Amino acid sequence: MNTRPAELPETLVPDGTARGAAEEVTERDDVPASRYEILGELARGGMGIVFRARDRLLNREVGIKTLLKNPAPAPVLARFRAEAHITGQLQHPSVPPVHELGVLPDGRPFIAMKLIKGQTLDALLKARTDLDADRARFVAVFEQIAHGVAYAHAHNVVHRDLKPANVMVGAHGEVQVMDWGLAKVIGQSADPTAPDGETAPATVIGAPDGDSDSLAGRAFGTPAYMPVEQAIGAIDRVAARSDVFSLGGILCAILTGKPPYVSATGEGARQLAATAKLADCRARLSACGAEPELVALCNWCLQPEPDDRPADADAVARAVAAFRADVERRARQAELDRVRA
């Protein structure tokens, strides 16, 4: 896409000023460089828009995310700033690195981040002609997703909007968990002197001062992948196990081609989620023909009661890793048996 969108100036600098593209780029410490040249729009959602841009200082392509509305409501601005702070502190290969947080000349904030080249998991799943096609590959992708979310959970961060559309898969197999706009720091780090011996995470993630959380009684996220507690707006109950339900939803989409809750409208899906109407989902899982271990893990994640699900994404990642290791062991054994025969 070569047409430059009208929403952003031709180039951006961290302090929010704009300069012409032909202006010489300077690296003097006392003069901000004309750094980002907007090349085209990549995607947009209900509140935000993402552009492909060139970082002129380092001569690389990056992603630039900003808000659609200007002026944006104060809670939206606070949430956008929190996304930059939280994502920027999650240093994991499956979380996109944040390079910079700045302000546009019109007052909108922007985030400069790693440009992810690839396709969403949602697009890849919809492109399948057979549910059995590339299942092993998608299970491997799922394991990487779980590891990335597990890192966030270890630092008391929940994503709250996990779904295939928020996962990017690169041409070389790299996996990125995207769109941490609803992410929330859910508590303080564990006390290393606690009687149970739980240790504190290596890094304590902090949201910026003034971060506004979702309002009680309102559902935030994607209803088709949403646990009960999130669907009814019980934000005090949303924790790592809530993300685990959504991970189960992603695995459900991999195994059956559809999310846990299927409805013609978002509100219809939310009502199904609010009452945990999972009979159709479980029937699809039983009939999908996938390995029993995967079906059992998916059903475990999709339990209505949080306490009945795996404790966090790390437990899910370990279960998937054990399953894949067992598959490889059986394949090696089968090959040895063929050689002996």
Side-chain angles (χ1 to χ4, degrees):
M1 185 182 301
N2 295 321
T3 303
R4 180 166 286 108
E7 288 91 339
L8 288 181
E10 186 170 331
T11 55
L12 306 174
V13 292
D15 65 355
T17 60
R19 303 173 188 269
E23 181 177 342
E24 181 180 359
V25 177
T26 175
E27 295 186 29
R28 288 172 54 191
D29 292 339
D30 59 337
V31 179
S34 299
R35 187 157 188 177
Y36 303 111
E37 178 186 0
I38 303 302
L39 302 176
E41 180 179 325
L42 287 175
R44 66 171 64 202
M47 294 187 297
I49 184 169
V50 180
F51 296 96
R52 183 170 63 91
R54 184 169 70 92
D55 181 340
R56 302 177 71 194
L57 186 61
L58 296 177
N59 194 26
R60 64 178 177 180
E61 288 192 345
V62 298
I64 296 288
K65 182 175 182 178
T66 189
L67 296 171
L68 282 172
K69 292 185 178 180
N70 188 35
V76 174
L77 289 171
R79 172 53 49 197
F80 188 87
R81 183 166 173 255
E83 176 184 1
H85 280 249
I86 292 172
T87 311
Q89 294 174 78
L90 291 174
Q91 303 292 307
H92 188 274
S94 292
V95 179
V98 170
H99 303 316
E100 191 167 33
L101 174 63
V103 180
L104 303 184
D106 63 8
R108 285 182 297 171
F110 75 87
I111 303 171
M113 63 181 68
K114 176 183 177 181
L115 179 65
I116 310 300
K117 297 180 180 180
Q119 292 182 276
T120 66
L121 177 59
D122 185 57
L124 292 172
L125 293 177
K126 288 178 178 177
R128 291 182 300 180
T129 57
D130 181 358
L131 288 179
D132 293 331
D134 285 339
R135 180 185 294 150
R137 173 197 173 200
F138 288 122
V139 171
V141 168
F142 179 73
E143 183 183 349
Q144 290 189 60
I145 297 168
H147 280 301
V149 178
Y151 179 86
H153 288 175
H155 294 80
N156 301 318
V157 174
V158 289
H159 186 284
R160 301 198 296 186
D161 195 19
L162 294 170
K163 57 184 178 181
N166 281 344
V167 175
M168 291 290 294
V169 182
H172 302 288
E174 61 273 30
V175 175
Q176 301 276 283
V177 181
M178 308 294 293
D179 200 351
W180 294 77
L182 292 181
K184 178 66 178 176
V185 181
I186 57 173
Q188 300 299 316
S189 60
D191 182 1
T193 64
D196 60 5
E198 184 179 7
T199 58
T203 303
V204 178
I205 303 297
D209 294 337
D211 173 31
S212 60
D213 190 16
S214 311
L215 297 177
R218 295 183 62 185
F220 285 79
T222 302
Y225 295 88
M226 194 179 283
V228 171
E229 62 272 19
Q230 208 165 326
I232 64 175
I235 61 171
D236 58 323
R237 296 178 59 201
V238 174
R241 282 186 164 95
S242 305
D243 277 352
V244 165
F245 185 97
S246 299
L247 284 173
I250 294 174
L251 185 56
C252 179
I254 290 172
L255 300 182
T256 74
K258 295 179 181 179
Y261 302 114
V262 179
S263 176
T265 66
E267 175 56 22
R270 190 200 65 78
Q271 291 181 17
L272 292 174
T275 52
K277 295 294 179 61
L278 288 162
D280 173 68
C281 171
R282 302 209 189 282
R284 283 188 279 115
L285 285 168
S286 296
C288 72
E291 293 84 347
E293 298 93 333
L294 290 176
V295 173
L297 175 61
C298 190
N299 279 316
W300 186 20
C301 293
L302 293 176
Q303 290 298 312
E305 287 297 323
D307 288 345
D308 293 334
R309 304 169 200 153
D312 54 24
D314 182 62
V316 178
R318 285 188 280 108
V320 179
F323 164 76
R324 295 183 64 224
D326 188 56
V327 169
E328 292 178 4
R329 181 192 60 78
R330 285 180 289 176
R332 287 194 301 269
Q333 186 61 50
E335 182 61 27
L336 288 173
D337 292 343
R338 282 194 294 269
V339 171
R340 293 191 184 100

